[in-house]
Amino acid sequence: MKNFLILLPLIFLFYNCKGQDKDEKKRIETKVYVANCKGEYSTKEKLAEKDKAWSLNSNDIEKIMKLSVPITEEEWHFSYPITPCNIDIKDYLYKGKKYDLQINGGSYISFFDGKKTQILGCELPECKKYFLKSKENIDEEDLPSSFNSNSTQTKSYKVNFNKSDKNDLIIIEKNKNDYTLKAQTDNKVFFTKNFSCDFIEIDTIPKNKQAFNLVLGYTDQYQNISRKIVIPVFFKNNDLFIEKLFIATLGISAKTGEEEWMQKEIYEKITLKQLDLDKILLE
């Protein structure tokens, strides 16, 4: 009996410590990762409070990784919205290998092993609650048959060049190394030009008198936007013209040493066909 009384405090201490270990393990397993949000959406949508407060815990991330599947760059470019909010995780263990993980609020995940970046997309209904925006379901317009051979790489936008009832479209085709922009009116293509960039967007509701805004995006190894060019495009005399373009580049501020968007406005009154972006970006 005397020995039992001596052992009793030790038994209590053992189970108490064991309980603390379990609580500590649980706390580690449910670590919370808060998103880092910078800038605004490429659509000019402002960051909302829910964007800034977006977070995931380790259990959420584990579920997301199980729900996600590998996607191609074409799928990512055309189907997944890019948000300015990311959750970064260093040395995440995935399938027995460590990666630098970046989860974008647009329902996709980039992971980098030091050599190669891979992309996963989370498109199932169960994914929706974990992200800020879901995969976009793009309803393709009725295109000429020549454009329908590979619909997953073609996207069209309705515009109105002549303020008429004609079927005016901007068509973007994803090629192996670049994009082809085509403009058509009354089912006839009158303009074709290739652009080397990581993604293209068309703003069909411009604020001024242009026909549309052409948005060209360039990304880094994690698919984060590092440069964006916005080009207001006008329709005159059955051709497309530009008067200026706006370039925003993500760089390091000489004053603060922190990342910030550097804005540049360039006046270039030429036809869109004559635009030489390589030359402009080198200046």
Side-chain angles (χ1 to χ4, degrees):
M1 184 68 180
K2 184 176 181 181
N3 291 336
F4 176 76
L5 292 174
I6 294 173
L7 288 172
L8 188 59
L10 295 176
I11 294 170
F12 175 78
L13 182 62
F14 171 77
Y15 279 105
N16 188 48
C17 291
K18 189 175 180 181
Q20 288 179 352
D21 290 342
K22 189 182 292 185
D23 291 341
E24 179 66 15
K25 184 179 180 182
K26 185 177 180 181
R27 186 185 67 80
I28 293 171
E29 287 178 349
T30 55
K31 181 178 178 181
V32 175
Y33 298 87
V34 180
N36 180 22
C37 298
K38 292 182 179 179
E40 59 184 20
Y41 287 90
S42 59
T43 57
K44 299 298 182 182
E45 178 185 345
K46 301 295 183 182
L47 282 170
E49 289 304 315
K50 71 167 187 174
D51 298 325
K52 298 174 184 177
W54 179 50
S55 67
L56 296 170
N57 63 44
S58 52
N59 292 332
D60 294 334
I61 294 166
E62 185 178 344
K63 290 175 184 175
I64 287 170
M65 296 301 284
K66 288 179 180 178
L67 291 169
S68 299
V69 296
I71 57 174
T72 64
E73 284 197 15
E74 287 79 12
E75 288 178 279
W76 171 68
H77 285 305
F78 282 108
S79 301
Y80 287 84
I82 300 174
T83 75
C85 297
N86 295 290
I87 291 174
D88 296 290
I89 304 169
K90 292 285 187 182
D91 296 328
Y92 182 83
L93 189 63
Y94 178 65
K95 293 185 177 180
K97 191 174 179 180
K98 287 186 177 181
Y99 295 89
D100 287 345
L101 200 71
Q102 186 170 83
I103 304 171
N104 186 274
S107 294
Y108 67 88
I109 304 107
S110 306
F111 53 107
F112 183 63
D113 63 1
K115 296 180 181 178
K116 182 181 177 183
T117 298
Q118 300 177 65
I119 311 173
L120 298 177
C122 200
E123 62 180 49
L124 295 173
E126 301 96 299
C127 298
K128 188 173 182 180
K129 63 182 179 181
Y130 296 110
F131 294 93
L132 296 173
K133 292 188 178 292
S134 302
K135 178 186 175 183
E136 297 172 346
N137 293 317
I138 300 169
D139 296 324
E140 299 295 338
E141 303 294 341
D142 293 331
L143 300 178
S145 57
S146 60
F147 296 138
N148 282 327
S149 58
N150 196 349
S151 62
T152 59
Q153 297 187 45
T154 303
K155 188 175 180 180
S156 64
Y157 302 82
K158 281 186 176 181
V159 291
N160 195 334
F161 293 127
N162 291 310
K163 308 298 180 186
S164 66
D165 295 330
K166 292 183 178 180
N167 185 25
D168 297 337
L169 292 175
I170 295 295
I171 301 161
I172 303 295
E173 292 179 346
K174 176 70 173 70
N175 308 314
K176 185 176 180 181
N177 298 313
D178 61 9
Y179 289 88
T180 301
L181 184 149
K182 297 181 180 181
Q184 75 172 41
T185 184
D186 202 19
N187 294 320
K188 294 180 181 178
V189 174
F190 68 87
F191 177 91
T192 302
K193 184 178 177 67
N194 284 29
F195 293 92
S196 295
C197 56
D198 291 316
F199 68 87
I200 288 183
E201 295 176 354
I202 303 295
D203 176 11
T204 59
I205 312 177
K207 294 181 179 179
N208 298 308
K209 295 181 180 181
Q210 65 265 37
F212 63 92
N213 288 329
L214 172 62
V215 182
L216 308 179
Y218 303 82
T219 60
D220 61 19
Q221 63 185 20
Y222 295 109
Q223 280 70 55
N224 293 321
I225 300 174
S226 57
R227 175 180 287 156
K228 187 168 64 174
I229 302 174
V230 179
I231 308 171
V233 181
F234 298 85
F235 181 77
K236 293 184 290 186
N237 302 321
N238 294 317
D239 202 354
L240 300 179
F241 292 82
I242 67 171
E243 295 181 354
K244 56 186 172 181
L245 55 159
F246 305 88
I247 301 176
T249 305
L250 188 63
I252 304 299
S253 170
K255 292 181 179 180
T256 64
E258 296 181 353
E259 282 188 336
E260 67 175 33
W261 285 97
M262 301 171 188
Q263 310 285 340
K264 187 190 230 180
E265 184 174 338
I266 298 175
Y267 288 88
E268 198 81 15
K269 290 191 174 184
I270 54 175
T271 66
L272 185 59
K273 181 76 78 174
Q274 294 173 318
L275 177 63
D276 186 346
L277 274 176
D278 291 336
K279 181 182 176 181
I280 288 173
L281 293 174
L282 286 173
E283 292 176 352

